[in-house]
Amino acid sequence: MRGLGPGLAARRLLPLRLHPRPQRPPGPQLSSGSTAAGALGRAMDELLRRAVPVMPVYELREKTPAPAEGQCADFVSFYGGLAEVAERAELLGRLAQDFGVDHGQVAEQSAGVLQLREQPREAAVLLQAEDRLRYALVPRYRGLFHHISKLDGGVRFLVQLRADLIQAQALKLVEGPHVREMNGVLKGMLTEWFSSGFLNLERVTWHSPCEVLQKISESEAVHPVKNWMDIKQRVGPYRRCYFFSHCSTPEEPLVVLHVALTSDISTNIQSIVKECPPTETEEKNKIAAAIFYSISLTQQGLQGVELGTFLIKRVVKELQKEFPHLGTFSSLSPIPGFTKWLLGLLNSQAKDHGRNELFTDSECKEISEITGSPLNETLKALLSSNEWMTSEKLAKALQGPLMRLCAWYLYGEKHRGYALNPVANFHLQNGAVMWRINWMADHSSKGITGSCGMMVNYRYFLEETATNSISYLGSKNIKASEQVLSLVAQFQKNSKL
């Protein structure tokens, strides 16, 4: 979900332990060229006709026996034998296109409901007609997914299948409303199966099994773990690491949250991931704040399933049990996309206006004097590398304009009325306050190239999160601190988009 966001990007997918992949699925021996493509297409059609259960008529919906387990297992085996991404995409596209909703039945049942609404009938008759309509709106492939979920390892398989579907959509191997609909149906099913009641909260320590520590290290997508000493520090004193696992797969991390226990709200990530804690033994009186500095989704197929939000809420409760005096909760989050957004603006303004309107004349002059060349010629090159940070004068000259531009990017740039930045959108949906933008907060190459080294705190005032969340989701209002609002006002005064 990239930092603390809905994207919660998966750095590496954990293996789903599918059925062993055969050299080639059962069916015709395929040769090269169009003949092979045609034979594989026919094999796919035959598989789908055999594996996707037929929707029984409404009256027999609860009396029809489940399809033989072998039919679903055939689909899993065939799919596992498709080595190429394009082949899997082709099968998923056929499944979405040819085994969705029966639109004729939907039209017929809809007409029946409308007719009953115009006639004085008993409520039970209308309710049954509406139930028939709901039944007609269920796509056939949902039945296949439902029965696969009952197989040993079936839910794991469906998580991986959705990851493949998301990848195929991103690569534009499959497109269209039928594919988007199937992705939504599968996401809804996974949301039910991975609801908070089926999730186990587990804490990671240095004494956890080596396999768990290895998975935690590999899944870290925000601040990569370099070695065993690195992971030891991140699960040691003044640090906490938690993950959710599913009840069917204990000790298998789905989403991982790293927390630093500090004396104040942190402004710099290096102080958390690089500097050693002051002592090996925690002194509770030195712990006044809990900083959520990394959250990573390990399974791309669970993208969009609300795991991160639930994990933060559960971890807050755990920390309050352990430290009853603890009252300050905040993130220290990256700002993915800021540099890319800024470079796009610079290119656009240079093309449309022939000059830069994001910086004031005095700022342009100061930066040009330091670099020895016009701002327009050097700024894009500077921001595309980390060389500017080696010059104290240049970094100081850039601080003011970049801070206000970053504030506008987080607060003012929108997608459908909500924050464009995915990490901001995630925390604001949770009810957090856009609290503070931190200069020189991430000196890593990734931090400098992604957000000019800046990071942001989203602070959780527990008594206000519900109200803030409702305000953001309902009215699209962003709750921000005076520092952020002041920087936004400076942007509106000194910069032009």
Side-chain angles (χ1 to χ4, degrees):
M1 160 201 177
R2 289 183 302 179
L4 287 157
L8 297 170
R11 185 167 177 261
R12 282 186 61 182
L13 297 180
L14 299 177
L16 292 186
R17 301 170 189 163
L18 306 180
H19 296 274
R21 179 176 293 177
Q23 292 298 316
R24 175 55 69 176
Q29 295 297 315
L30 304 182
S31 58
S32 60
S34 59
T35 303
L40 181 58
R42 289 190 295 273
M44 288 181 178
D45 289 338
E46 173 59 30
L47 169 79
L48 293 175
R49 280 193 295 270
R50 189 174 67 251
V52 182
V54 176
M55 294 281 287
V57 295
Y58 177 80
E59 289 75 13
L60 300 177
R61 66 195 184 283
E62 296 178 355
K63 301 176 182 177
T64 304
E69 187 175 293
Q71 293 177 229
C72 298
D74 284 349
F75 179 89
V76 173
S77 177
F78 187 102
Y79 187 86
L82 299 174
E84 301 296 326
V85 175
E87 292 177 346
R88 293 187 170 200
E90 174 69 18
L91 180 60
L92 294 176
R94 289 172 186 248
L95 179 62
Q97 181 72 38
D98 300 333
F99 295 88
V101 168
D102 184 336
H103 297 291
Q105 273 294 311
V106 172
E108 182 180 329
Q109 299 302 329
S110 299
V113 171
L114 291 173
Q115 185 178 7
L116 287 172
R117 284 179 60 86
E118 296 173 358
Q119 300 172 358
R121 292 290 182 94
E122 292 183 6
V125 177
L126 178 59
L127 290 173
Q128 187 182 57
E130 291 173 343
D131 192 48
R132 286 175 177 270
L133 176 57
R134 278 192 295 272
Y135 183 69
L137 287 167
V138 177
R140 277 184 64 183
Y141 51 68
R142 195 183 194 284
L144 174 65
F145 298 154
H146 174 72
H147 292 298
I148 287 176
S149 72
K150 297 180 180 180
L151 298 175
D152 183 26
V155 174
R156 290 171 176 269
F157 170 81
L158 292 172
V159 170
Q160 183 60 60
L161 183 143
R162 183 164 181 257
D164 292 342
L165 183 59
I166 292 171
Q167 181 187 25
Q169 287 179 288
L171 296 173
K172 300 191 181 301
L173 296 174
V174 286
E175 297 181 274
H178 294 91
V179 173
R180 291 193 295 272
E181 175 67 15
M182 188 170 76
N183 182 32
V185 169
L186 187 51
K187 174 188 169 184
M189 298 177 78
L190 292 171
T191 298
E192 292 181 7
W193 296 331
F194 288 86
S195 63
S196 58
F198 298 116
L199 300 175
N200 301 318
L201 180 67
E202 302 188 42
R203 180 182 166 188
V204 183
T205 71
W206 186 238
H207 302 291
S208 297
C210 289
E211 294 81 2
V212 173
L213 290 168
Q214 181 70 28
K215 290 172 183 176
I216 295 297
S217 301
E218 292 175 349
S219 68
E220 174 53 41
V222 188
H223 308 291
V225 176
K226 296 179 180 179
N227 50 46
W228 280 107
M229 290 304 296
D230 196 356
I231 190 64
K232 182 178 182 180
Q233 179 179 323
R234 297 192 195 192
V235 298
Y238 296 97
R239 302 290 182 267
R240 295 293 184 273
C241 177
Y242 298 92
F243 68 85
F244 267 151
S245 64
H246 195 260
C247 58
S248 64
T249 54
E251 296 188 347
E252 184 84 20
L254 300 174
V255 59
V256 183
L257 177 66
H258 289 270
V259 185
L261 303 175
T262 63
S263 60
D264 201 356
I265 298 178
S266 302
T267 62
N268 184 290
I269 191 62
Q270 271 68 42
S271 65
I272 292 176
V273 299
K274 287 192 174 182
E275 296 178 12
C276 293
T279 61
E280 283 292 319
T281 304
E282 291 179 350
E283 298 180 37
K284 290 192 174 184
N285 63 331
K286 292 184 178 181
I287 297 173
I291 309 301
F292 313 126
Y293 67 91
S294 173
I295 187 166
S296 297
L297 185 69
T298 68
Q299 304 290 347
Q300 194 69 23
L302 295 176
Q303 195 177 104
V305 178
E306 223 176 329
L307 298 176
T309 298
F310 290 138
L311 181 56
I312 287 178
K313 290 178 179 178
R314 287 279 296 276
V315 166
V316 166
K317 291 180 180 179
E318 286 296 309
L319 292 174
Q320 287 180 319
K321 290 178 185 177
E322 187 177 4
F323 305 101
H325 67 284
L326 190 60
T328 301
F329 299 90
S330 174
S331 78
L332 179 60
S333 301
I335 311 171
F338 169 67
T339 303
K340 182 179 179 181
W341 170 82
L342 180 54
L343 289 172
L345 280 183
L346 293 170
N347 286 329
S348 176
Q349 291 204 347
K351 181 178 178 181
D352 296 340
H353 306 289
R355 63 190 185 89
N356 169 34
E357 296 185 319
L358 299 176
F359 291 63
T360 65
D361 292 340
S362 61
E363 289 167 346
C364 291
K365 181 180 178 182
E366 182 182 4
I367 296 170
S368 296
E369 289 176 352
I370 296 171
T371 61
S373 57
L375 179 66
N376 290 345
E377 296 179 11
T378 60
L379 192 56
K380 287 186 287 185
L382 286 172
L383 296 180
S384 299
S385 70
N386 59 4
E387 294 181 5
W388 61 272
M389 292 191 72
T390 61
S391 168
E392 185 176 342
K393 284 186 177 181
L394 186 54
K396 186 176 181 181
L398 287 170
Q399 180 176 354
L402 289 182
M403 286 278 283
R404 69 169 183 263
L405 285 162
C406 186
W408 178 257
Y409 169 69
L410 293 172
Y411 184 88
E413 289 295 307
K414 303 293 176 61
H415 174 66
R416 296 178 180 175
Y418 298 104
L420 173 67
N421 181 265
V423 181
N425 187 52
F426 171 76
H427 287 291
L428 294 171
Q429 284 185 16
N430 292 345
V433 175
M434 193 178 290
W435 183 250
R436 183 174 62 202
I437 298 172
N438 302 294
W439 180 248
M440 294 292 186
D442 186 356
H443 298 164
S444 70
S445 177
K446 183 178 179 182
I448 295 167
T449 56
S451 58
C452 299
M454 289 179 283
M455 300 186 77
V456 57
N457 300 116
Y458 297 97
R459 187 166 177 182
Y460 285 77
F461 294 93
L462 301 184
E463 67 279 4
E464 299 176 9
T465 53
T467 302
N468 293 343
S469 178
I470 292 171
S471 178
Y472 179 68
L473 293 171
S475 305
K476 302 174 181 177
N477 294 327
I478 294 178
K479 188 72 175 293
S481 68
E482 290 185 7
Q483 186 239 28
V484 174
L485 294 177
S486 174
L487 289 169
V488 169
Q490 292 175 37
F491 169 85
Q492 292 170 326
K493 178 181 177 181
N494 298 307
S495 302
K496 296 179 183 179
L497 290 180

Short mmCIF file of all heavy atoms in Angstrom, two decimals, residues 43 58 87 112 199 237 250 310 315 324 343 361 399-400 443 472:
data_model
loop_
_atom_site.label_atom_id
_atom_site.label_comp_id
_atom_site.label_asym_id
_atom_site.label_seq_id
_atom_site.Cartn_x
_atom_site.Cartn_y
_atom_site.Cartn_z
N ALA A 43 -8.20 -24.96 -25.86
CA ALA A 43 -8.02 -25.64 -24.57
C ALA A 43 -8.59 -24.79 -23.43
O ALA A 43 -9.20 -25.32 -22.49
CB ALA A 43 -6.54 -25.93 -24.33
N TYR A 58 -33.38 -20.43 -10.16
CA TYR A 58 -33.58 -19.82 -8.85
C TYR A 58 -34.19 -20.80 -7.85
O TYR A 58 -33.74 -20.88 -6.70
CB TYR A 58 -34.48 -18.59 -9.00
CG TYR A 58 -34.82 -17.90 -7.71
CD1 TYR A 58 -33.93 -17.03 -7.11
CD2 TYR A 58 -36.05 -18.13 -7.07
CE1 TYR A 58 -34.23 -16.39 -5.92
CE2 TYR A 58 -36.37 -17.51 -5.88
CZ TYR A 58 -35.45 -16.63 -5.31
OH TYR A 58 -35.75 -16.01 -4.12
N GLU A 87 -0.43 -15.37 -21.32
CA GLU A 87 -1.34 -16.52 -21.37
C GLU A 87 -2.33 -16.48 -20.22
O GLU A 87 -3.53 -16.74 -20.40
CB GLU A 87 -0.52 -17.81 -21.32
CG GLU A 87 0.32 -18.06 -22.57
CD GLU A 87 1.18 -19.31 -22.45
OE1 GLU A 87 1.34 -19.83 -21.32
OE2 GLU A 87 1.69 -19.75 -23.49
N GLY A 112 -39.81 -7.68 -14.14
CA GLY A 112 -40.75 -8.26 -13.19
C GLY A 112 -40.88 -7.42 -11.93
O GLY A 112 -41.99 -7.21 -11.41
N LEU A 199 -8.38 -12.10 11.15
CA LEU A 199 -6.97 -11.74 11.14
C LEU A 199 -6.37 -11.84 12.54
O LEU A 199 -7.02 -11.48 13.53
CB LEU A 199 -6.79 -10.32 10.60
CG LEU A 199 -7.29 -10.07 9.18
CD1 LEU A 199 -7.15 -8.59 8.82
CD2 LEU A 199 -6.53 -10.94 8.17
N PRO A 237 14.84 -2.90 21.24
CA PRO A 237 14.36 -1.90 22.20
C PRO A 237 13.91 -0.62 21.51
O PRO A 237 14.50 -0.18 20.51
CB PRO A 237 15.59 -1.65 23.07
CG PRO A 237 16.43 -2.88 22.91
CD PRO A 237 16.21 -3.34 21.52
N PRO A 250 -1.24 -18.96 9.88
CA PRO A 250 -0.52 -18.26 10.96
C PRO A 250 0.96 -18.09 10.63
O PRO A 250 1.55 -18.91 9.93
CB PRO A 250 -0.72 -19.20 12.17
CG PRO A 250 -1.06 -20.53 11.59
CD PRO A 250 -1.79 -20.25 10.32
N PHE A 310 -6.98 -1.25 9.58
CA PHE A 310 -7.27 -2.10 10.73
C PHE A 310 -6.01 -2.37 11.55
O PHE A 310 -6.06 -2.41 12.78
CB PHE A 310 -7.86 -3.44 10.26
CG PHE A 310 -9.25 -3.33 9.70
CD1 PHE A 310 -9.61 -4.02 8.56
CD2 PHE A 310 -10.20 -2.53 10.30
CE1 PHE A 310 -10.88 -3.92 8.02
CE2 PHE A 310 -11.49 -2.41 9.78
CZ PHE A 310 -11.83 -3.12 8.63
N VAL A 315 -2.85 -1.92 16.52
CA VAL A 315 -1.55 -1.65 17.13
C VAL A 315 -1.66 -0.54 18.17
O VAL A 315 -1.04 -0.61 19.24
CB VAL A 315 -0.51 -1.31 16.05
CG1 VAL A 315 0.74 -0.70 16.66
CG2 VAL A 315 -0.15 -2.56 15.24
N PRO A 324 0.24 2.68 29.17
CA PRO A 324 -1.02 3.40 29.43
C PRO A 324 -0.88 4.93 29.34
O PRO A 324 -1.85 5.62 29.05
CB PRO A 324 -1.38 2.97 30.85
CG PRO A 324 -0.70 1.65 31.04
CD PRO A 324 0.58 1.75 30.27
N LEU A 343 8.65 18.13 -11.45
CA LEU A 343 9.34 18.15 -12.75
C LEU A 343 8.34 18.29 -13.89
O LEU A 343 8.60 18.96 -14.88
CB LEU A 343 10.17 16.88 -12.93
CG LEU A 343 11.42 16.76 -12.04
CD1 LEU A 343 12.05 15.37 -12.17
CD2 LEU A 343 12.44 17.83 -12.40
N ASP A 361 11.01 35.95 -8.21
CA ASP A 361 12.18 36.51 -8.91
C ASP A 361 13.42 36.50 -8.02
O ASP A 361 14.53 36.19 -8.48
CB ASP A 361 11.88 37.94 -9.36
CG ASP A 361 10.84 37.98 -10.47
OD1 ASP A 361 10.63 36.93 -11.13
OD2 ASP A 361 10.23 39.05 -10.67
N GLN A 399 15.05 25.47 0.17
CA GLN A 399 14.17 25.02 1.24
C GLN A 399 12.81 25.71 1.21
O GLN A 399 11.76 25.05 1.26
CB GLN A 399 14.83 25.25 2.61
CG GLN A 399 13.93 24.81 3.77
CD GLN A 399 14.64 24.95 5.12
OE1 GLN A 399 15.83 25.27 5.19
NE2 GLN A 399 13.92 24.69 6.20
N GLY A 400 12.79 27.04 1.15
CA GLY A 400 11.53 27.78 1.17
C GLY A 400 10.59 27.39 0.03
O GLY A 400 9.44 26.98 0.26
N HIS A 443 17.66 11.26 3.92
CA HIS A 443 18.88 11.49 3.14
C HIS A 443 19.19 10.36 2.17
O HIS A 443 20.19 10.42 1.46
CB HIS A 443 20.07 11.68 4.09
CG HIS A 443 19.92 12.85 4.99
ND1 HIS A 443 20.69 13.04 6.13
CD2 HIS A 443 19.09 13.92 4.93
CE1 HIS A 443 20.34 14.16 6.73
NE2 HIS A 443 19.36 14.71 6.03
N TYR A 472 -13.56 14.13 5.88
CA TYR A 472 -12.76 13.96 4.66
C TYR A 472 -13.49 13.13 3.62
O TYR A 472 -13.58 13.50 2.44
CB TYR A 472 -11.42 13.31 5.01
CG TYR A 472 -10.53 13.06 3.80
CD1 TYR A 472 -9.96 14.13 3.10
CD2 TYR A 472 -10.27 11.77 3.36
CE1 TYR A 472 -9.15 13.91 2.00
CE2 TYR A 472 -9.45 11.55 2.26
CZ TYR A 472 -8.90 12.62 1.57
OH TYR A 472 -8.10 12.40 0.47
#
